[in-house]
Coordinates of all heavy atoms in Angstrom, one line a residue:
S44 N 11.2 4.3 -2.0 CA 11.1 5.0 -0.7 C 9.6 5.3 -0.4 O 9.3 6.2 0.3 CB 12.0 6.3 -0.6 OG 11.6 7.0 -1.7
G45 N 8.7 4.6 -1.0 CA 7.4 4.7 -0.6 C 6.5 5.7 -1.4 O 5.5 6.4 -0.8
G46 N 6.7 5.9 -2.6 CA 5.9 6.7 -3.5 C 4.5 6.2 -3.7 O 4.3 4.9 -3.6
K47 N 3.5 6.9 -4.1 CA 2.1 6.5 -4.3 C 2.0 5.7 -5.6 O 1.0 5.0 -5.8 CB 1.2 7.7 -4.3 CG 1.1 8.3 -2.9 CD 0.1 9.4 -2.9 CE 0.5 10.7 -3.6 NZ 1.6 11.4 -3.1
R48 N 3.0 5.9 -6.6 CA 3.0 5.2 -7.9 C 1.8 5.6 -8.7 O 1.3 4.8 -9.5 CB 3.0 3.7 -7.8 CG 4.0 3.0 -6.8 CD 5.5 3.3 -7.3 NE 6.4 2.5 -6.6 CZ 7.7 3.0 -6.3 NH1 7.9 4.2 -6.6 NH2 8.5 2.3 -5.7
L49 N 1.3 6.8 -8.6 CA 0.0 7.3 -9.2 C 0.3 7.4 -10.8 O -0.5 6.9 -11.6 CB -0.3 8.7 -8.8 CG -1.0 8.8 -7.5 CD1 -1.4 10.2 -7.2 CD2 -2.2 7.9 -7.3
R50 N 1.5 7.8 -11.2 CA 1.8 7.9 -12.6 C 1.8 6.6 -13.3 O 1.1 6.4 -14.4 CB 3.0 8.9 -12.9 CG 2.8 10.2 -12.4 CD 4.1 11.0 -12.0 NE 3.9 12.2 -11.4 CZ 3.7 12.3 -10.1 NH1 3.6 11.2 -9.3 NH2 3.3 13.5 -9.5
E76 N 7.7 6.2 -13.9 CA 8.0 6.3 -12.5 C 9.5 6.6 -12.3 O 9.8 7.4 -11.4 CB 7.6 5.0 -11.7 CG 7.8 5.0 -10.3 CD 7.0 6.1 -9.5 OE1 6.0 6.5 -10.1 OE2 7.3 6.3 -8.3
I78 N 11.3 8.4 -14.3 CA 11.4 9.8 -14.6 C 10.9 10.7 -13.4 O 11.5 11.7 -13.0 CB 10.6 10.3 -15.9 CG1 11.1 9.5 -17.2 CG2 10.4 11.7 -16.0 CD1 12.3 10.2 -17.7
H79 N 9.8 10.2 -12.8 CA 9.3 11.0 -11.6 C 10.3 10.9 -10.5 O 10.6 12.0 -9.9 CB 8.0 10.3 -11.3 CG 7.3 10.7 -9.9 ND1 7.0 12.1 -9.8 CD2 7.1 10.1 -8.8 CE1 6.6 12.2 -8.5 NE2 6.6 11.0 -7.9
Y81 N 13.5 10.6 -10.8 CA 14.6 11.5 -11.2 C 14.2 13.0 -10.9 O 15.0 13.7 -10.3 CB 15.0 11.2 -12.6 CG 15.4 12.3 -13.5 CD1 16.4 13.1 -13.1 CD2 14.9 12.4 -14.8 CE1 16.8 14.2 -14.1 CE2 15.3 13.4 -15.6 CZ 16.3 14.1 -15.2 OH 16.8 15.2 -16.1
S82 N 13.0 13.3 -11.2 CA 12.7 14.7 -11.0 C 12.6 15.1 -9.5 O 13.0 16.2 -9.2 CB 11.2 15.1 -11.7 OG 10.2 14.5 -10.9
L83 N 12.2 14.1 -8.7 CA 12.2 14.4 -7.2 C 13.6 14.6 -6.7 O 13.9 15.5 -5.9 CB 11.5 13.3 -6.4 CG 10.0 13.2 -6.8 CD1 9.4 12.0 -6.1 CD2 9.1 14.5 -6.7
I84 N 14.5 13.8 -7.1 CA 15.9 13.9 -6.6 C 16.5 15.2 -7.0 O 17.1 15.9 -6.2 CB 16.8 12.8 -7.3 CG1 16.3 11.4 -6.9 CG2 18.3 12.9 -6.9 CD1 17.2 10.2 -7.6
H85 N 16.3 15.6 -8.3 CA 16.9 16.9 -8.8 C 16.2 18.1 -8.1 O 16.8 19.1 -7.7 CB 16.8 17.0 -10.3 CG 18.1 16.2 -10.9 ND1 18.5 16.5 -12.2 CD2 18.8 15.2 -10.3 CE1 19.5 15.6 -12.4 NE2 19.7 14.9 -11.4
D86 N 14.8 18.0 -7.9 CA 14.0 19.0 -7.2 C 14.5 19.3 -5.8 O 14.4 20.4 -5.3 CB 12.6 18.5 -7.2 CG 11.7 19.6 -6.9 OD1 11.7 20.7 -7.6 OD2 10.8 19.5 -5.9
D87 N 15.0 18.2 -5.1 CA 15.4 18.4 -3.7 C 16.9 19.0 -3.5 O 17.2 19.3 -2.5 CB 15.4 17.0 -3.0 CG 13.9 16.5 -2.8 OD1 13.0 17.3 -2.8 OD2 13.7 15.3 -2.6
M91 N 18.2 23.6 -6.2 CA 16.9 23.7 -6.5 C 16.0 24.0 -5.2 O 16.2 25.1 -4.8 CB 16.4 22.4 -7.2 CG 17.2 22.0 -8.4 SD 16.5 22.7 -9.9 CE 17.7 22.1 -11.2
D92 N 15.2 23.2 -4.8 CA 14.4 23.5 -3.6 C 15.1 23.2 -2.2 O 14.6 23.7 -1.2 CB 13.1 22.6 -3.6 CG 12.1 23.2 -4.6 OD1 12.5 24.1 -5.2 OD2 11.0 22.7 -4.6
R97 N 12.4 13.7 2.0 CA 11.5 13.3 0.9 C 10.9 12.0 1.4 O 11.5 11.0 1.8 CB 12.2 13.1 -0.4 CG 11.7 12.4 -1.5 CD 10.6 13.3 -2.1 NE 10.9 14.5 -2.7 CZ 10.0 15.4 -3.3 NH1 8.7 15.2 -3.4 NH2 10.5 16.6 -3.8
R98 N 9.5 11.9 1.4 CA 8.9 10.6 1.8 C 9.3 10.2 3.2 O 9.4 9.1 3.4 CB 8.9 9.5 0.8 CG 8.5 9.8 -0.6 CD 9.0 9.0 -1.6 NE 8.4 9.1 -3.0 CZ 8.9 8.6 -4.0 NH1 9.9 7.8 -4.1 NH2 8.3 8.8 -5.2
H120 N 17.1 8.7 -15.6 CA 16.7 9.3 -16.8 C 17.1 8.4 -18.0 O 16.2 8.1 -18.8 CB 17.4 10.7 -16.9 CG 16.9 11.5 -18.1 ND1 17.5 12.7 -18.3 CD2 16.0 11.3 -19.0 CE1 17.0 13.3 -19.4 NE2 16.0 12.4 -19.9
I143 N 9.2 16.3 -20.5 CA 10.1 16.6 -19.5 C 11.1 17.7 -20.0 O 11.9 18.2 -19.2 CB 10.9 15.4 -19.0 CG1 11.8 14.9 -20.1 CG2 10.0 14.3 -18.5 CD1 12.7 13.7 -19.5
G144 N 11.0 18.1 -21.2 CA 12.0 19.1 -21.7 C 11.6 20.5 -21.4 O 10.8 20.8 -20.4
L148 N 8.6 19.6 -17.7 CA 9.2 19.7 -16.3 C 10.3 20.7 -16.3 O 10.3 21.5 -15.4 CB 9.6 18.3 -15.9 CG 8.6 17.5 -15.2 CD1 7.8 16.9 -16.2 CD2 9.2 16.6 -14.3
V149 N 11.3 20.7 -17.3 CA 12.5 21.5 -17.1 C 11.9 23.1 -17.2 O 12.3 23.9 -16.4 CB 13.5 21.3 -18.1 CG1 14.5 22.4 -18.3 CG2 14.2 19.9 -17.9
G150 N 11.1 23.3 -18.3 CA 10.5 24.7 -18.4 C 9.7 25.2 -17.1 O 9.9 26.2 -16.7
G151 N 9.0 24.3 -16.6 CA 8.2 24.6 -15.4 C 9.1 25.0 -14.2 O 8.9 25.9 -13.4
Q152 N 10.1 24.1 -14.1 CA 11.1 24.3 -13.0 C 11.9 25.6 -13.1 O 12.1 26.3 -12.2 CB 12.0 23.1 -12.9 CG 13.0 23.2 -11.7 CD 12.4 22.6 -10.4 OE1 11.1 22.5 -10.3 NE2 13.2 22.4 -9.5
V153 N 12.2 26.0 -14.3 CA 12.9 27.2 -14.6 C 12.2 28.4 -14.1 O 12.6 29.2 -13.4 CB 13.4 27.3 -16.1 CG1 13.9 28.8 -16.5 CG2 14.5 26.3 -16.5
R174 N 3.4 22.7 -16.7 CA 4.7 22.1 -17.2 C 5.3 21.3 -16.0 O 5.7 20.1 -16.3 CB 5.7 23.2 -17.5 CG 5.3 23.9 -18.9 CD 5.8 25.3 -19.0 NE 5.3 25.8 -20.3 CZ 4.1 26.3 -20.4 NH1 3.3 26.4 -19.3 NH2 3.6 26.8 -21.6
K175 N 5.4 21.7 -14.8 CA 6.1 21.0 -13.8 C 5.4 19.7 -13.3 O 6.0 18.8 -13.0 CB 6.2 22.0 -12.6 CG 7.2 21.5 -11.6 CD 7.3 22.6 -10.5 CE 6.3 22.5 -9.5 NZ 6.5 23.2 -8.1
T176 N 4.1 19.8 -13.4 CA 3.3 18.7 -12.8 C 2.4 18.1 -13.8 O 2.3 16.8 -14.0 CB 2.5 19.1 -11.6 OG1 3.5 19.8 -10.7 CG2 1.9 18.0 -10.9
L179 N 3.6 15.5 -16.9 CA 4.0 14.1 -16.7 C 2.7 13.2 -16.6 O 2.7 12.0 -17.0 CB 5.0 13.9 -15.6 CG 5.7 12.5 -15.6 CD1 6.5 12.3 -16.8 CD2 6.7 12.5 -14.4
F180 N 1.7 13.7 -15.9 CA 0.4 13.0 -15.9 C -0.1 12.8 -17.3 O -0.7 11.8 -17.7 CB -0.6 13.6 -15.0 CG -0.3 13.4 -13.4 CD1 0.1 14.5 -12.7 CD2 -0.5 12.2 -12.9 CE1 0.4 14.3 -11.3 CE2 -0.3 12.0 -11.6 CZ 0.1 13.0 -10.8
F212 N -3.8 18.5 -8.9 CA -2.9 17.7 -8.0 C -1.8 18.7 -7.4 O -1.5 18.7 -6.3 CB -2.3 16.6 -8.8 CG -1.5 15.7 -8.0 CD1 -2.1 14.6 -7.4 CD2 -0.1 15.9 -7.8 CE1 -1.4 13.7 -6.6 CE2 0.6 14.9 -7.0 CZ -0.1 13.9 -6.4
Q213 N -1.4 19.6 -8.4 CA -0.3 20.6 -7.9 C -0.9 21.6 -6.9 O -0.3 22.1 -6.0 CB 0.4 21.2 -9.1 CG 1.6 22.1 -8.7 CD 2.6 21.4 -7.8 OE1 3.2 20.4 -8.3 NE2 2.9 21.8 -6.6
D216 N -1.1 20.1 -3.7 CA 0.2 20.0 -3.2 C 0.7 21.3 -2.5 O 1.2 21.3 -1.5 CB 1.2 19.7 -4.4 CG 2.3 18.8 -4.0 OD1 2.1 17.6 -3.7 OD2 3.5 19.3 -3.8
K230 N 7.7 15.3 4.4 CA 8.6 16.5 4.1 C 8.2 17.7 4.9 O 7.1 17.8 5.5 CB 8.6 16.7 2.6 CG 7.3 17.1 2.0 CD 7.4 17.2 0.5 CE 6.0 17.7 -0.1 NZ 6.0 17.7 -1.6
R286 N -6.8 14.1 -0.4 CA -5.6 13.5 0.0 C -4.9 14.4 1.1 O -4.9 15.6 1.2 CB -4.7 13.4 -1.2 CG -4.1 14.7 -1.7 CD -3.3 14.5 -3.0 NE -2.7 15.6 -3.6 CZ -1.3 15.7 -3.6 NH1 -0.5 14.8 -3.0 NH2 -0.6 16.8 -4.1
H288 N -1.5 13.3 1.8 CA -0.1 13.0 1.4 C 0.2 12.8 -0.1 O -0.8 12.9 -0.8 CB 0.4 11.6 2.0 CG -0.3 10.5 1.6 ND1 -1.6 10.3 1.7 CD2 0.2 9.4 1.0 CE1 -1.9 9.1 1.2 NE2 -0.8 8.6 0.7
Ligands
GRG301 C1 13.6 16.6 -16.6 C2 12.5 14.9 -15.0 C3 13.2 16.3 -15.2 C4 13.5 17.0 -14.1 C5 14.2 18.3 -14.1 C6 13.6 19.1 -11.1 C7 12.7 19.3 -12.2 C8 13.3 19.5 -13.6 C9 11.3 19.3 -12.1 C10 10.6 19.3 -10.8 C11 9.3 18.6 -11.0 C12 8.6 18.4 -9.8 C13 9.3 17.6 -8.7 C14 7.3 18.6 -9.7 C15 6.5 18.3 -8.5 C16 5.5 17.2 -8.8 C17 4.8 16.6 -7.6 C18 3.5 17.2 -7.2 C19 5.4 15.7 -7.1 C20 4.9 14.9 -5.9 O1 4.1 13.8 -6.5 P1 3.5 12.6 -5.7 O2 2.7 13.1 -4.6 O3 4.8 12.0 -5.1 O4 2.9 11.7 -6.7 P2 5.1 10.4 -4.6 O5 6.0 10.6 -3.4 O6 3.8 9.8 -4.1 O7 5.7 9.7 -5.6

Side-chain angles (χ1 to χ4, degrees):
S44 57
K47 295 184 285 296
R48 310 292 192 224
L49 288 181
R50 293 157 192 80
E76 184 64 14
I78 294 279
H79 171 60
Y81 148 46
S82 77
L83 299 181
I84 296 174
H85 281 202
D86 193 49
D87 290 338
M91 303 270 177
D92 281 4
R97 169 71 63 182
R98 298 165 174 164
H120 187 184
I143 70 176
L148 271 83
V149 168
Q152 185 78 346
V153 168
R174 288 156 184 79
K175 192 178 85 166
T176 308
L179 198 55
F180 283 111
F212 192 84
Q213 186 58 57
D216 214 70
K230 56 182 185 182
R286 75 192 185 101
H288 66 297

